[in-house]
Amino acid sequence: MPVLVSLTLDQGLNLLGTALGPWLLVVLLAAAAAGVGLYRRSRATPPEPPRVRRFTLLRTEDADGTPVRFETTRPAGTRITPWIDGRQRLYELTDVPLEDGTYAAEPLDRF
């Protein structure tokens, strides 16, 4: 049986070589490169979906005296303008964790 498989493969390659002639090596190299590219793409790790993070807007308070919180999927370094006390304020999101498990959002419009 192995002899029959070997003979069949040998004849198939001879037929392929006859049909493509001198371009056989180029076609085989292109097919190998495409196969490697598809393999690497399939093995790549998918990007991590954005996660919701909670930020505490520093130097702000609700009517009951608790700090104002802001939830978003935006990355650190993003500037946001939420409405606080009837007007918009400018804040920058940071990667600084606070004791309550939220991250700090620093005010930029008042010093």
Side-chain angles (χ1 to χ4, degrees):
M1 184 70 162
V3 174
L4 181 60
V5 172
S6 175
L7 183 61
T8 305
L9 285 176
D10 188 38
Q11 287 181 354
L13 289 177
N14 282 340
L15 180 61
L16 187 62
T18 304
L20 294 176
W23 293 101
L24 178 62
L25 182 60
V26 174
V27 169
L28 289 176
L29 287 175
V36 167
L38 289 174
Y39 176 76
R40 285 185 181 169
R41 183 181 297 183
S42 69
R43 299 276 303 175
T45 57
E48 183 177 315
R51 58 189 168 113
V52 175
R53 295 197 312 173
R54 295 187 74 198
F55 291 89
T56 298
L57 305 179
L58 300 179
R59 292 191 243 151
T60 60
E61 292 181 352
D62 277 333
D64 60 356
T66 60
V68 177
R69 306 269 198 267
F70 186 82
E71 289 187 359
T72 184
T73 59
R74 296 179 183 155
T78 303
R79 293 183 178 190
I80 59 170
T81 55
W83 287 90
I84 299 176
D85 296 330
R87 61 185 199 145
Q88 283 186 310
R89 303 274 173 116
L90 181 63
Y91 288 87
E92 184 173 350
L93 306 179
T94 67
D95 276 337
V96 179
L98 300 177
E99 293 176 1
D100 61 357
T102 63
Y103 294 91
E106 296 182 4
L108 297 176
D109 60 352
R110 54 185 166 149
F111 300 99

